[in-house]
Amino acid sequence: METTKLPPSSPSSPTTSFSVPSAEKVDGFPRRSMRRARQRRSHSSSQFRYQSSQVELTPLPLLKDAPVAELHDLFCKKLQQCCVLFDFLDCVADLKGKEIKRAALNELVESVATSRGVLIEPLYPEAIKMISVNIFRTLPPSENPEFDPEEDEPTLEASWPHLQLVYEFFLRFLESPDFQPSMAKRYVDQKFVLQLLELFDSEDPREREYLKTILHRVYGKLLGLRAYIRKQINNIFLRFIYETEHFNGVAELLEILGSIINGFALPLKAEHKQFLVRVLIPLHTAKSLSIFHAQLAYCVVQFMEKDATVTEYIIRGLLKYWPKTCTQKEVMFLGEIEEILDVIEPSQFIRVQEPLFKQIAACISSPHFQVAERALYFWNNEYILSLIEENCQVILPLVFATLYRVSKEHWNQTIVSLIYNVLKTFMEMNSKLFDDLTASYKVEKQKLKKKLVADGVQGHLHLSSSVMHIKSKSSQAKVCYNLNDINQKVFCFPSKHKHYSKHF
Amino acid sequence: AAEEGGPCQSKMAGADGDDSLYPIAVLIDELRNEDVQLRLNSIKKLSTIALALGVERTRTELLPFLTDTIYDEDEVLLALAEQLGNFTMLVGGPEYVHCLLPPLESLATVEETVVRDKAVESLRKISQEHSPVDLEVHFEPLVKRLASGDWFTSRTSACGLFSVCYPRVSSTVKAEIRQHFRTLCSDDTPMVRRAAASKLGEFAKVLELDYVKSDIISLFTALASDEQDSVRLLAVEACVSIATLLPQEDLETLVMPTLRQAAEDKSWRVRYMVADKFSELQKAVGPEITKNDLVPAFQNLLKDCEAEVRAAAANKVKEFCENLPEDNREQIIMTHILPCVKELVSDTNQHVKSALASVIMGLSTILGKDNTIEHLLPLFLAQLKDECPEVRLNIISNLDCVNEVIGIRQLSQSLLPAIVELAEDAKWRVRLAIIEYMPLLAGQLGVEFFDEKLNTLCMAWLIDHVYAIREAATCNLMKLVEKFGAEWAQNTIVPKVLGMANDPNYLHRMTTLFCINVIVHCCGYPYREITTKQMLPVVLKMSNDQVANVRFNVAKSLQKIGPVLDSNALQTEVKPVLEKLASDTDMDVKYFAQEAISGECLSSSTIVDKLNT
């Protein structure tokens, strides 16, 4: 989007067109290992920068040894102690302080998890403050500007030894039987949740895993925040789809949504339907779909199971965004369609069968055998087969021509034999219809042949006068083009062609 | 096959039996075709359709029809949005331009960003064609509708339309527009706030100064402290325009607090933006504020903890220094900027170093000879030895700045090893880049230095195993000959090039031919001796090469050499060879031989003949 120019995730020098990463790419041999090694060098942590002067930590008495009267006071002191941040990129800096904080965090985790009556009201603000100070930070720029979540190793958070314990503490805090939502909601507010959601962009999968569980608990316990959380997730997704195409935590957020959708009340609110149509379905257009497709398909199916009337929106939406060039994505779409068909209501099936089976026919004739294969597998699914059988009169005419043609033409033997099975199934389903279609297909083909022959002559005569001037122009252009072609051929790639054919 | 011809089609064309409209009927049919590509083709010919229909029917039939097709594929919609921006004359001129608003309004609410942006662009364009009255009656209500739309897309689009209608409407409407803009700046979706923030500067420019002070500043301050960094960073962009609009005495109170805050924002993205816009900001706030505020801010950015920010700041070092007030520029640079620059030379991040390397040489013109030798030269030398080739290349590519100040000799001792190393780099792109600087280096270092140190390199590139390098090396030869002259070529280049004609590798033999082509080209007629005496015999001899590629390149070379030969040489030497090649067993050799024969040089009298007579 024009209006939101984000700085690139890595600087490139604008004064020369020369840049090393792209060079490596064009070189044909992406030296991944080299690139990694270079990029492993870490930069300083954004988080650490804002601590003006380093405080020296002194160990406090253990919580378990504290007399009951002083327990809360000590707990509070430990929370405050844990607000001190350490530089983890310098792994030998202040080892003593790091150890004291680690021990304190461990104690806090254990105390919240095991002893009752620790969480009293005055501790809430202190606990939330400690959590905020530790986890909320501007995530650093990705070390690898072309980070591919499927191929590359993620950059792990350096301060994880502490961060993990802070997350653990937060989780235990939320799960504690003493936890009082009415007290927490004063501190876990909208601003807090917004910052929590931004952390889902973290490259570190361990962090996202914690965030997922934590956000789920927050959503479950703090009812007042639910609408807000959903709205902000919407915003994150919309930004991901239409603006940046980059957000690391889409899969995790979808996983949470999957269970949220499960809990929607019926009839579905307009807000939820809008979410489905304007956010979930467009998410299918994302380049990185493969990373979160399973979670996305789960959400979509959840919606259908809640309310069958959304089926048509979903299927028509998927057909609208059907991948045009990416076969890997096409296979994913087909997988999702099968999941949908698995739970579709017959009445809904009838509403979408026509456009749907046109698309399926197109997939069957795909030259990419995995696409064709995935589509043909639908006929192995008993429920889908029963739907097809019930609507054989409509579906068979839609796919017949394709099946017949592809069975004669496809290069891949597996596909050909799968198609034979499908044709056989159809024949058994409705042999009368099958025979009629076979006959009319042959007649049509004959007609087409004749027409082509006739057109070849007539069409030429008809066009010749009106397109004369265009033709003469374009033929000139064509000649030039061809010449260029020849020049290029011999100029750039003369060696292999010629040399080898002459001498070997 | 098209779907059934709807009412629209039969009404618009064909039904009245008007044959001239037949092609139009076809186009309109295609607008409804199932195949996206056909619909797209048809949309792209929309102006033809409109022209054929005439303005009346375009308004009453075509536009309503188009407004209905808004549920199409995004590609089609994009084409439609673009077309409609140029439709004013086709609907009957400015008087009727408002007919175009309904379809564009729908397009401005579409989800897909590119479609929406294009629709807004077209709306902005046609807004200029509205009369002031139409602007208030038709255009401004549309903006209001968009601004109060339910879904964020329409509100985002509205942000781009305020500034085009504001200057031309009455003061009551102006007040409304300002109110709408204010509302969108505090919209609850960040997408809309981002759109508003990115248009803030543009909107400020069309506002009266008093409103800039009262309205814009408060919006600017609010957006610059938004909870989302993606909004805050856009406010930095607006800061440039706003600061330009305000009188100097107001800057300190109205803009600087926000700018200072942005320069120290906790998000690196915002700081990056400040660094990236630093020169513009510096110009906008003027010399006094620069001295007091921006110098320390710039120092901080150069020392930022995120490499991204440091690199962006490093890129601005030269411009920043250039724009410092002249009276104490040198002192500021020497005491405040240079120490930071020194640290950046040994930064841990290669992007930072290479950003610096691309501008650091520019400092020498600002600081003058003595400072350059004393303070900058060590930095240049350090960067010339940097482990990262991009850094070294950036230094070499900017040598001209230093050359003007201290002369390149100061550097040549360190330069040479750096060049040699780059010339042999394992990555061909690096080699390619250094070749491209060769002519420049040769010019600055002089012919003697070149012959002694660099010539061998240039020759070695001719037999590189990557074609692109050989090609660039050939081209490099041409530039060198242009620089040093034909005699130099004859003495230093030609013998070596011709020597390669006997190389066992046919690729090298072909390189000989390619080099001959360029040498002939730049020596030309005045030095035809080189061609006729030295090069032609070699080319002719190569026509017997066993590799067909060499043979047809001989044909091509002969065609190039032809113009500088006299007709005698052509007839007695060149023609027989070409004729022999024309009966070669290889198709391509034949083809190029025939090309050369039919080329003008053999059929008509040559330039040489003409000059001789």
Side-chain angles (χ1 to χ4, degrees):
Chain A
M1 180 162 163
E2 278 281 313
T3 48
T4 51
K5 282 175 230 127
L6 283 182
S9 49
S10 153
S12 55
S13 115
T15 45
T16 76
S17 58
F18 179 81
S19 97
V20 173
S22 68
E24 282 171 359
K25 235 186 191 167
V26 184
D27 224 358
F29 301 100
R31 295 168 192 128
R32 274 185 183 277
S33 54
M34 228 176 85
R35 209 175 71 193
R36 286 238 179 89
R38 194 182 61 222
Q39 280 162 351
R40 274 288 154 246
R41 208 175 299 137
S42 273
H43 36 66
S44 33
S45 149
S46 299
Q47 185 183 18
F48 188 63
R49 173 180 196 250
Y50 295 97
Q51 188 139 5
S52 41
S53 62
Q54 200 59 15
V55 195
E56 184 107 354
L57 292 190
T58 42
L60 294 164
L62 293 178
L63 279 173
K64 65 176 185 338
D65 300 339
V68 182
E70 286 165 29
L71 178 69
H72 289 123
D73 193 42
L74 185 60
F75 196 94
C76 199
K77 277 189 184 142
K78 296 227 172 201
L79 283 173
Q80 283 158 0
Q81 200 168 47
C82 292
C83 288
V84 177
L85 301 179
F86 292 91
D87 182 1
F88 271 88
L89 291 163
D90 181 356
C91 48
V92 291
D94 201 0
L95 285 174
K96 196 171 137 253
K98 282 178 187 166
E99 177 51 30
I100 293 171
K101 177 169 169 178
R102 198 194 59 79
L105 280 168
N106 260 330
E107 264 193 288
L108 290 171
V109 170
E110 189 174 320
S111 169
V112 171
T114 54
S115 33
R116 297 290 308 261
V118 185
L119 283 187
I120 57 164
E121 187 165 5
L123 290 182
Y124 278 72
E126 294 297 329
I128 296 300
K129 187 181 158 218
M130 188 278 282
I131 292 162
S132 307
V133 166
N134 278 284
I135 65 173
F136 294 152
R137 64 213 192 275
T138 306
L139 295 169
S142 178
E143 286 188 26
N144 178 356
E146 298 148 69
F147 177 65
D148 175 355
E150 282 189 298
E151 285 252 340
D152 297 327
E153 288 288 316
T155 312
L156 298 179
E157 177 56 49
S159 62
W160 192 244
H162 284 173
L163 204 55
Q164 190 221 336
L165 292 169
V166 176
Y167 278 121
E168 188 66 35
F169 172 77
F170 192 11
L171 190 59
R172 301 297 172 128
F173 174 74
L174 290 166
E175 287 174 345
S176 159
D178 292 340
F179 179 77
Q180 297 278 334
S182 56
M183 284 175 201
K185 73 179 182 197
R186 255 175 280 164
Y187 312 107
V188 181
D189 54 4
Q190 296 193 344
K191 189 160 184 282
F192 183 93
V193 166
L194 185 68
Q195 296 182 80
L196 197 65
L197 282 167
E198 277 173 5
L199 291 176
F200 275 81
D201 194 21
S202 168
E203 226 175 86
D204 192 331
R206 302 168 302 181
E207 181 168 18
R208 295 201 305 271
E209 191 61 29
Y210 264 113
L211 286 164
K212 185 179 75 186
T213 325
I214 285 169
L215 186 68
H216 201 209
R217 298 286 176 275
V218 171
Y219 191 88
K221 304 217 165 175
L222 300 170
L223 308 187
L225 285 172
R226 287 186 172 184
Y228 183 79
I229 291 175
R230 289 198 306 269
K231 196 171 78 186
Q232 292 308 327
I233 294 181
N234 262 357
N235 288 342
I236 288 175
F237 284 165
L238 288 168
R239 181 173 181 211
F240 169 74
I241 302 166
Y242 295 114
E243 296 180 11
T244 57
E245 289 198 45
H246 174 88
F247 193 81
N248 289 316
V250 176
E252 283 81 3
L253 289 176
L254 283 170
E255 212 174 316
I256 299 171
L257 281 167
S259 63
I260 293 179
I261 295 165
N262 213 337
F264 281 164
L266 284 171
L268 286 179
K269 283 195 216 161
E271 176 214 327
H272 300 326
K273 282 192 189 166
Q274 177 163 309
F275 168 66
L276 170 69
V277 176
R278 306 196 116 157
V279 181
L280 282 189
I281 302 292
L283 263 179
H284 287 86
T285 59
K287 239 189 298 186
S288 50
L289 178 67
S290 60
I291 297 157
F292 55 82
H293 182 253
Q295 290 83 351
L296 180 58
Y298 178 78
C299 286
V300 168
V301 172
Q302 286 297 304
F303 257 109
M304 276 181 58
E305 297 214 66
K306 271 277 151 188
D307 178 356
T309 60
V310 298
T311 310
E312 196 175 345
Y313 290 121
I314 293 172
I315 295 202
R316 288 192 188 272
L318 288 179
L319 292 175
K320 181 180 174 196
Y321 294 127
W322 201 272
K324 301 225 164 33
T325 52
C326 181
T327 46
Q328 190 207 358
K329 256 172 112 176
E330 227 178 331
V331 173
M332 284 186 254
F333 270 56
L334 284 165
E336 187 170 346
I337 291 283
E338 180 161 3
E339 279 181 59
I340 289 169
L341 291 180
D342 254 335
V343 297
I344 200 168
E345 283 193 9
S347 61
Q348 295 296 325
F349 179 79
I350 291 166
R351 300 170 81 111
V352 293
Q353 57 184 356
E354 268 193 62
L356 179 61
F357 275 82
K358 274 185 195 163
Q359 182 59 58
I360 291 174
C363 292
I364 290 173
S365 60
S366 167
H368 196 297
F369 81 98
Q370 283 176 333
V371 175
E373 188 180 53
R374 191 66 193 81
L376 290 164
Y377 279 164
F378 284 12
W379 274 265
N380 295 347
N381 181 313
E382 273 180 40
Y383 181 62
I384 298 179
L385 203 59
S386 74
L387 290 168
I388 293 176
E389 185 159 13
E390 275 166 44
N391 302 286
C392 194
Q393 288 290 347
V394 183
I395 292 171
L396 185 51
L398 288 172
V399 295
F400 183 81
T402 307
L403 288 173
Y404 200 94
R405 186 173 49 81
V406 178
S407 73
K408 300 261 185 280
E409 289 173 1
H410 208 283
W411 62 272
N412 184 296
Q413 273 315 305
T414 317
I415 298 302
V416 174
S417 60
L418 278 171
I419 289 193
Y420 274 124
N421 286 338
V422 170
L423 283 171
K424 204 169 129 239
T425 319
F426 271 125
M427 203 149 57
E428 286 160 5
M429 257 180 214
N430 190 337
S431 59
K432 167 87 177 50
L433 179 62
F434 191 88
D435 291 343
D436 289 350
L437 286 169
T438 316
S440 65
Y441 178 80
K442 284 182 176 155
V443 172
E444 281 295 312
K445 215 176 165 188
Q446 281 302 319
K447 264 194 210 162
L448 198 72
K449 243 188 204 165
K450 276 186 195 151
K451 195 165 172 264
L452 278 179
V453 175
D455 271 5
V457 186
Q458 269 197 350
H460 184 70
L461 285 177
H462 187 74
L463 283 174
S464 55
S465 58
S466 61
V467 282
M468 212 43 176
H469 63 289
I470 302 174
K471 212 180 162 193
S472 61
K473 259 192 187 164
S474 69
S475 64
Q476 260 176 2
K478 207 172 171 199
V479 171
C480 295
Y481 171 73
N482 278 345
L483 269 183
N484 276 336
D485 222 29
I486 292 170
N487 279 331
Q488 240 164 20
K489 177 188 121 195
V490 290
F491 215 80
C492 297
F493 318 105
S495 48
K496 277 184 192 153
H497 272 353
K498 286 280 160 184
H499 196 50
Y500 294 152
S501 62
K502 300 283 152 184
H503 298 288
F504 297 97
Chain B
E3 286 174 35
E4 88 273 41
C8 180
Q9 180 223 330
S10 48
K11 216 169 54 178
M12 282 204 288
D16 49 4
D18 184 351
D19 275 352
S20 66
L21 287 185
Y22 176 70
I24 302 306
V26 173
L27 280 178
I28 292 172
D29 249 5
E30 281 184 359
L31 279 178
R32 308 162 156 274
N33 198 292
E34 265 185 54
D35 184 350
V36 186
Q37 195 52 49
L38 288 179
R39 293 205 299 276
L40 201 56
N41 291 345
S42 193
I43 284 282
K44 285 183 176 159
K45 287 182 206 135
L46 208 55
S47 52
T48 318
I49 302 180
L51 204 61
L53 286 174
V55 293
E56 174 91 41
R57 294 178 73 189
T58 300
R59 287 198 301 269
T60 55
E61 294 168 32
L62 183 63
L63 285 178
F65 167 73
L66 290 174
T67 315
D68 286 343
T69 60
I70 301 285
Y71 306 96
D72 206 331
E73 299 259 342
D74 293 330
E75 262 177 293
V76 178
L77 298 185
L78 176 66
L80 179 59
E82 187 170 10
Q83 290 276 316
L84 290 178
N86 305 317
F87 243 56
T88 310
M89 291 323 288
L90 296 167
V91 292
E95 206 182 322
Y96 294 100
V97 67
H98 59 84
C99 299
L100 297 172
L101 297 179
L104 283 172
E105 181 174 353
S106 313
L107 290 169
T109 62
V110 163
E111 245 93 7
E112 179 50 55
T113 328
V114 283
V115 176
R116 221 163 57 217
D117 287 349
K118 190 54 89 180
V120 170
E121 195 185 312
S122 289
L123 279 169
R124 286 169 72 110
K125 207 162 161 189
I126 64 168
S127 74
Q128 302 309 316
E129 282 149 357
H130 281 70
S131 66
V133 177
D134 279 348
L135 205 62
E136 278 192 28
V137 178
H138 299 286
F139 198 87
E140 203 269 341
L142 168 143
V143 178
K144 270 195 239 168
R145 279 195 301 277
L146 288 175
S148 43
D150 280 341
W151 190 240
F152 78 96
T153 51
S154 74
R155 303 201 297 277
T156 326
S157 295
C159 292
L161 297 173
F162 294 119
S163 63
V164 289
C165 45
Y166 189 86
R168 297 171 59 215
V169 291
S170 66
S171 55
T172 20
V173 179
K174 280 185 175 176
E176 284 174 32
I177 292 180
R178 287 196 305 272
Q179 180 52 44
H180 277 294
F181 193 80
R182 258 200 303 277
T183 315
L184 294 183
C185 283
S186 52
D187 196 277
D188 69 13
T189 72
M191 288 79 83
V192 177
R193 292 204 304 279
R194 280 195 284 273
S198 68
K199 301 291 177 195
L200 184 65
E202 177 190 294
F203 189 57
K205 281 184 194 158
V206 298
L207 246 59
E208 297 79 0
L209 185 59
D210 282 345
Y211 290 121
V212 173
K213 287 188 196 171
S214 60
D215 283 29
I216 296 291
I217 293 298
S218 65
L219 296 176
F220 167 62
T221 318
L223 290 169
S225 40
D226 195 275
E227 58 190 10
Q228 304 236 338
D229 59 0
S230 54
V231 179
R232 295 202 298 275
L233 68 89
L234 290 166
V236 174
E237 274 194 298
C239 185
V240 177
S241 329
I242 295 171
T244 325
L245 295 170
L246 292 173
Q248 189 70 31
E249 64 268 22
D250 290 327
L251 286 176
E252 181 52 44
T253 51
L254 299 180
V255 176
M256 285 318 290
T258 310
L259 182 57
R260 273 183 217 120
Q261 178 195 320
E264 291 179 354
D265 197 282
K266 67 181 192 317
S267 164
W268 63 270
R269 291 188 188 87
V270 179
R271 301 198 303 275
Y272 171 94
M273 202 53 152
V274 174
D276 195 48
K277 298 273 167 236
F278 217 84
S279 308
E280 287 96 322
L281 288 167
Q282 185 187 8
K283 281 179 201 148
V285 298
E288 271 313 300
I289 296 182
T290 297
K291 248 189 285 184
N292 302 330
D293 267 285
L294 294 194
V295 172
F298 194 62
Q299 283 177 290
N300 284 336
L301 292 170
L302 289 173
K303 289 188 257 178
D304 198 277
C305 62
E306 289 298 348
E308 259 73 3
V309 180
R310 292 199 302 278
N315 253 324
K316 302 287 168 188
V317 163
K318 183 196 157 202
E319 262 182 274
F320 180 77
C321 294
E322 243 170 13
N323 296 330
L324 284 170
E326 252 176 77
D327 47 346
N328 43 9
R329 180 161 71 187
E330 190 176 318
Q331 179 255 327
I332 294 176
I333 298 175
M334 296 307 292
T335 53
H336 300 290
I337 306 298
L338 206 58
C340 304
V341 170
K342 277 182 185 156
E343 275 179 48
L344 290 183
V345 166
S346 49
D347 199 277
T348 49
N349 184 293
Q350 60 152 341
H351 296 296
V352 176
K353 286 185 291 186
S354 88
L356 181 69
S358 65
V359 297
I360 190 175
M361 312 289 270
L363 291 180
S364 49
T365 28
I366 305 172
L367 288 176
K369 190 172 175 184
D370 295 339
N371 281 327
T372 301
I373 293 175
E374 190 182 339
H375 299 283
L376 293 177
L377 201 57
L379 303 182
F380 301 157
L381 295 178
Q383 291 216 300
L384 266 180
K385 293 188 191 109
D386 198 275
E387 54 172 9
C388 162
E390 201 179 337
V391 175
R392 283 174 268 150
L393 269 173
N394 281 348
I395 291 288
I396 290 174
S397 63
N398 288 297
L399 279 175
D400 45 341
C401 320
V402 188
N403 197 23
E404 288 160 20
V405 183
I406 56 167
I408 208 163
R409 288 282 165 180
Q410 295 268 10
L411 276 175
S412 55
Q413 281 317 308
S414 313
L415 208 48
L416 195 65
I419 295 171
V420 172
E421 207 181 313
L422 288 169
E424 288 160 0
D425 197 280
K427 295 195 192 77
W428 68 266
R429 291 262 172 183
V430 174
R431 300 199 296 276
L432 186 64
I434 188 73
I435 294 178
E436 276 159 14
Y437 296 122
M438 258 313 144
L440 182 82
L441 286 170
Q444 286 170 1
L445 293 165
V447 67
E448 257 171 67
F449 187 90
F450 182 87
D451 283 344
E452 193 182 322
K453 317 268 187 189
L454 299 179
N455 196 16
T456 350
L457 283 180
C458 291
M459 289 298 149
W461 281 320
L462 288 174
I463 51 169
D464 197 280
H465 61 273
V466 175
Y467 177 76
I469 299 297
R470 298 197 300 274
E471 190 188 28
T474 312
C475 181
N476 175 42
L477 276 194
M478 182 170 85
K479 290 183 185 145
L480 291 174
V481 174
E482 276 167 3
K483 208 156 234 138
F484 294 148
E487 268 174 54
W488 174 81
Q490 188 171 12
N491 297 329
T492 31
I493 304 281
V494 174
K496 287 184 188 165
V497 165
L498 295 182
M500 278 161 51
N502 300 318
D503 197 288
N505 186 333
Y506 85 104
L507 291 172
H508 300 169
R509 299 201 293 279
M510 290 214 303
T511 308
T512 301
L513 290 170
F514 298 148
C515 291
I516 287 175
N517 293 347
V518 299
I519 295 171
V520 169
H521 173 80
C522 36
C523 294
Y525 174 73
Y527 294 94
R528 65 179 186 285
E529 294 260 297
I530 307 175
T531 308
T532 48
K533 294 266 163 63
Q534 298 182 30
M535 299 197 290
L536 182 63
V538 176
V539 177
L540 292 174
K541 204 178 130 213
M542 288 172 86
S543 69
N544 298 319
D545 200 286
Q546 55 180 345
V547 178
N549 293 64
V550 177
R551 294 201 301 279
F552 73 64
N553 274 299
V554 166
K556 283 160 104 181
S557 290
L558 287 176
Q559 194 176 2
K560 293 212 169 77
I561 296 175
V564 296
L565 300 177
D566 55 41
S567 58
N568 186 33
L570 275 177
Q571 294 301 332
T572 58
E573 297 182 72
V574 175
K575 205 175 175 191
V577 169
L578 282 176
E579 274 163 358
K580 193 187 79 197
L581 290 175
S583 57
D584 199 279
T585 49
D586 186 274
M587 247 177 60
D588 292 324
V589 177
K590 262 192 224 171
Y591 173 82
F592 285 106
Q594 274 152 8
E595 280 282 288
I597 292 171
S598 62
E600 277 178 44
C601 59
L602 286 178
S603 49
S604 66
S605 56
T606 64
I607 310 169
V608 182
D609 289 332
K610 279 181 200 148
L611 288 168
N612 286 343
T613 53

